[in-house]
Amino acid sequence: VHEVEHPASFARSLFIEALRAAGVKVTASPLVENPASKLPRYETYATMQPTAELMSPPFAESAKLILKVSHNLHAGTLPLLVAAKQGKRTLAEGLQLQRDFLARAGVDVPTISFGGGAGGDRADYVTPRATVQLLKAMSKRSDFAVYRGALPVLGVDGTLAAAVVADSPAKGQVQAKTGTLVWNNTLLGKSLLQSKALAGYVDAADGRTVVFACFVNLVALQQSSDRDRIGRVLGSIAEKLHAAP
């Protein structure tokens, strides 16, 4: 895995190489930065004749990737996709549109702070109560089954595959999203767990569906295995929610 410093130039190089591999003669060098100044103005694209179109998988597949394995890159692009859908172009505009959605969903927006889309920005904060409000609002949507189906399943897949023992009675009965943010304490050569969270839905043993959110914040980790241990503690809380009358 490698982070590309200049994505536009990298994509340009790959495109030139792909065209050449397909037998298309391209005189441009793939070794220079993307000459953005030579591109047409953005607002003229709609009037041009397309030569090819890339069709992405359904958005449900992207949501599954984000939620099942905590794919931060796709999560971070979501506010930009929301902005683009509405003819806008910036992260700030996308986050403001998300704010409007959260308000319409009945979430206590003043208790939330987002600086990005993946939860790793220094400005990213949310309360368990606001998280539960969002989960409850999502459960009332017509596409809820797709949303819930994209979440990790306790003891089965994604980031919850190993959160409980194999014979746990709650296995397969909890669908929830994990969240982990760790900073390096370089002074002591250890790690600071900024946050470890679990939030989602429990099919309780008595037939109810329980919505829950549990956060663990600001824990000085003594060894690397502590993070996984805290994850298992959150898994055990989900087990108890499943079993509780």
Side-chain angles (χ1 to χ4, degrees), residues 177-180 195-199 214-217 234:
K177 178 71 182 73
T178 59
T180 306
S195 182
K196 182 84 172 167
L198 184 64
C214 300
F215 296 177
V216 177
N217 296 327
L234 292 174

PDB file of all heavy atoms in Angstrom, residues 177-180 195-199 214-217 234:
ATOM      1  N   LYS A 177     -20.544  -1.023  13.477  1.00  0.00           N
ATOM      2  CA  LYS A 177     -19.328  -0.419  12.927  1.00  0.00           C
ATOM      3  C   LYS A 177     -18.329  -0.175  14.040  1.00  0.00           C
ATOM      4  O   LYS A 177     -18.671   0.360  15.095  1.00  0.00           O
ATOM      5  CB  LYS A 177     -19.662   0.918  12.250  1.00  0.00           C
ATOM      6  CG  LYS A 177     -18.458   1.663  11.690  1.00  0.00           C
ATOM      7  CD  LYS A 177     -17.914   0.959  10.471  1.00  0.00           C
ATOM      8  CE  LYS A 177     -16.675   1.687   9.943  1.00  0.00           C
ATOM      9  NZ  LYS A 177     -15.483   1.492  10.788  1.00  0.00           N
ATOM     10  N   THR A 178     -17.098  -0.586  13.780  1.00  0.00           N
ATOM     11  CA  THR A 178     -16.012  -0.272  14.698  1.00  0.00           C
ATOM     12  C   THR A 178     -15.393   1.066  14.320  1.00  0.00           C
ATOM     13  O   THR A 178     -15.593   1.589  13.225  1.00  0.00           O
ATOM     14  CB  THR A 178     -14.925  -1.351  14.616  1.00  0.00           C
ATOM     15  OG1 THR A 178     -14.444  -1.412  13.268  1.00  0.00           O
ATOM     16  CG2 THR A 178     -15.467  -2.705  15.013  1.00  0.00           C
ATOM     17  N   GLY A 179     -14.617   1.625  15.239  1.00  0.00           N
ATOM     18  CA  GLY A 179     -13.853   2.839  14.961  1.00  0.00           C
ATOM     19  C   GLY A 179     -12.647   2.882  15.872  1.00  0.00           C
ATOM     20  O   GLY A 179     -12.782   2.703  17.085  1.00  0.00           O
ATOM     21  N   THR A 180     -11.475   3.073  15.297  1.00  0.00           N
ATOM     22  CA  THR A 180     -10.248   3.067  16.096  1.00  0.00           C
ATOM     23  C   THR A 180      -9.342   4.212  15.648  1.00  0.00           C
ATOM     24  O   THR A 180      -9.105   4.372  14.453  1.00  0.00           O
ATOM     25  CB  THR A 180      -9.485   1.740  15.938  1.00  0.00           C
ATOM     26  OG1 THR A 180     -10.363   0.656  16.226  1.00  0.00           O
ATOM     27  CG2 THR A 180      -8.287   1.691  16.880  1.00  0.00           C
ATOM     28  N   SER A 195      -9.440   6.801  20.552  1.00  0.00           N
ATOM     29  CA  SER A 195     -10.823   6.318  20.619  1.00  0.00           C
ATOM     30  C   SER A 195     -10.918   4.903  20.065  1.00  0.00           C
ATOM     31  O   SER A 195     -10.240   4.550  19.102  1.00  0.00           O
ATOM     32  CB  SER A 195     -11.751   7.241  19.829  1.00  0.00           C
ATOM     33  OG  SER A 195     -13.097   6.807  19.937  1.00  0.00           O
ATOM     34  N   LYS A 196     -11.750   4.101  20.703  1.00  0.00           N
ATOM     35  CA  LYS A 196     -12.139   2.780  20.203  1.00  0.00           C
ATOM     36  C   LYS A 196     -13.644   2.688  20.403  1.00  0.00           C
ATOM     37  O   LYS A 196     -14.136   2.866  21.520  1.00  0.00           O
ATOM     38  CB  LYS A 196     -11.426   1.674  20.987  1.00  0.00           C
ATOM     39  CG  LYS A 196     -11.727   0.271  20.495  1.00  0.00           C
ATOM     40  CD  LYS A 196     -10.848  -0.118  19.352  1.00  0.00           C
ATOM     41  CE  LYS A 196     -11.029  -1.584  18.989  1.00  0.00           C
ATOM     42  NZ  LYS A 196     -10.398  -1.894  17.691  1.00  0.00           N
ATOM     43  N   ALA A 197     -14.373   2.454  19.320  1.00  0.00           N
ATOM     44  CA  ALA A 197     -15.826   2.561  19.406  1.00  0.00           C
ATOM     45  C   ALA A 197     -16.503   1.399  18.708  1.00  0.00           C
ATOM     46  O   ALA A 197     -15.922   0.741  17.835  1.00  0.00           O
ATOM     47  CB  ALA A 197     -16.288   3.879  18.776  1.00  0.00           C
ATOM     48  N   LEU A 198     -17.739   1.155  19.100  1.00  0.00           N
ATOM     49  CA  LEU A 198     -18.584   0.155  18.462  1.00  0.00           C
ATOM     50  C   LEU A 198     -20.020   0.650  18.532  1.00  0.00           C
ATOM     51  O   LEU A 198     -20.501   1.018  19.605  1.00  0.00           O
ATOM     52  CB  LEU A 198     -18.450  -1.198  19.159  1.00  0.00           C
ATOM     53  CG  LEU A 198     -19.213  -2.367  18.524  1.00  0.00           C
ATOM     54  CD1 LEU A 198     -18.665  -2.656  17.125  1.00  0.00           C
ATOM     55  CD2 LEU A 198     -19.124  -3.614  19.392  1.00  0.00           C
ATOM     56  N   ALA A 199     -20.690   0.668  17.386  1.00  0.00           N
ATOM     57  CA  ALA A 199     -22.062   1.178  17.346  1.00  0.00           C
ATOM     58  C   ALA A 199     -22.837   0.467  16.251  1.00  0.00           C
ATOM     59  O   ALA A 199     -22.312   0.236  15.157  1.00  0.00           O
ATOM     60  CB  ALA A 199     -22.072   2.686  17.100  1.00  0.00           C
ATOM     61  N   CYS A 214     -21.036   2.424  21.982  1.00  0.00           N
ATOM     62  CA  CYS A 214     -20.098   2.385  23.109  1.00  0.00           C
ATOM     63  C   CYS A 214     -18.758   2.964  22.661  1.00  0.00           C
ATOM     64  O   CYS A 214     -18.204   2.528  21.651  1.00  0.00           O
ATOM     65  CB  CYS A 214     -19.876   0.958  23.599  1.00  0.00           C
ATOM     66  SG  CYS A 214     -21.358   0.115  24.169  1.00  0.00           S
ATOM     67  N   PHE A 215     -18.240   3.942  23.415  1.00  0.00           N
ATOM     68  CA  PHE A 215     -16.958   4.564  23.085  1.00  0.00           C
ATOM     69  C   PHE A 215     -15.974   4.384  24.238  1.00  0.00           C
ATOM     70  O   PHE A 215     -16.351   4.523  25.411  1.00  0.00           O
ATOM     71  CB  PHE A 215     -17.118   6.073  22.843  1.00  0.00           C
ATOM     72  CG  PHE A 215     -17.967   6.446  21.654  1.00  0.00           C
ATOM     73  CD1 PHE A 215     -18.221   7.773  21.381  1.00  0.00           C
ATOM     74  CD2 PHE A 215     -18.499   5.488  20.814  1.00  0.00           C
ATOM     75  CE1 PHE A 215     -18.986   8.138  20.292  1.00  0.00           C
ATOM     76  CE2 PHE A 215     -19.270   5.840  19.719  1.00  0.00           C
ATOM     77  CZ  PHE A 215     -19.521   7.174  19.458  1.00  0.00           C
ATOM     78  N   VAL A 216     -14.736   4.091  23.924  1.00  0.00           N
ATOM     79  CA  VAL A 216     -13.636   4.098  24.893  1.00  0.00           C
ATOM     80  C   VAL A 216     -12.644   5.158  24.415  1.00  0.00           C
ATOM     81  O   VAL A 216     -12.145   5.067  23.289  1.00  0.00           O
ATOM     82  CB  VAL A 216     -12.951   2.722  24.990  1.00  0.00           C
ATOM     83  CG1 VAL A 216     -11.762   2.787  25.946  1.00  0.00           C
ATOM     84  CG2 VAL A 216     -13.943   1.658  25.425  1.00  0.00           C
ATOM     85  N   ASN A 217     -12.350   6.139  25.254  1.00  0.00           N
ATOM     86  CA  ASN A 217     -11.498   7.257  24.833  1.00  0.00           C
ATOM     87  C   ASN A 217     -10.283   7.441  25.745  1.00  0.00           C
ATOM     88  O   ASN A 217     -10.354   7.184  26.951  1.00  0.00           O
ATOM     89  CB  ASN A 217     -12.295   8.566  24.840  1.00  0.00           C
ATOM     90  CG  ASN A 217     -13.427   8.559  23.833  1.00  0.00           C
ATOM     91  OD1 ASN A 217     -13.322   7.950  22.772  1.00  0.00           O
ATOM     92  ND2 ASN A 217     -14.515   9.229  24.170  1.00  0.00           N
ATOM     93  N   LEU A 234     -15.483  -4.512  23.984  1.00  0.00           N
ATOM     94  CA  LEU A 234     -16.659  -3.949  23.311  1.00  0.00           C
ATOM     95  C   LEU A 234     -17.516  -5.063  22.724  1.00  0.00           C
ATOM     96  O   LEU A 234     -18.748  -5.001  22.750  1.00  0.00           O
ATOM     97  CB  LEU A 234     -16.215  -2.972  22.223  1.00  0.00           C
ATOM     98  CG  LEU A 234     -15.561  -1.675  22.710  1.00  0.00           C
ATOM     99  CD1 LEU A 234     -15.045  -0.855  21.537  1.00  0.00           C
ATOM    100  CD2 LEU A 234     -16.543  -0.854  23.540  1.00  0.00           C
TER     101      LEU A 234
END
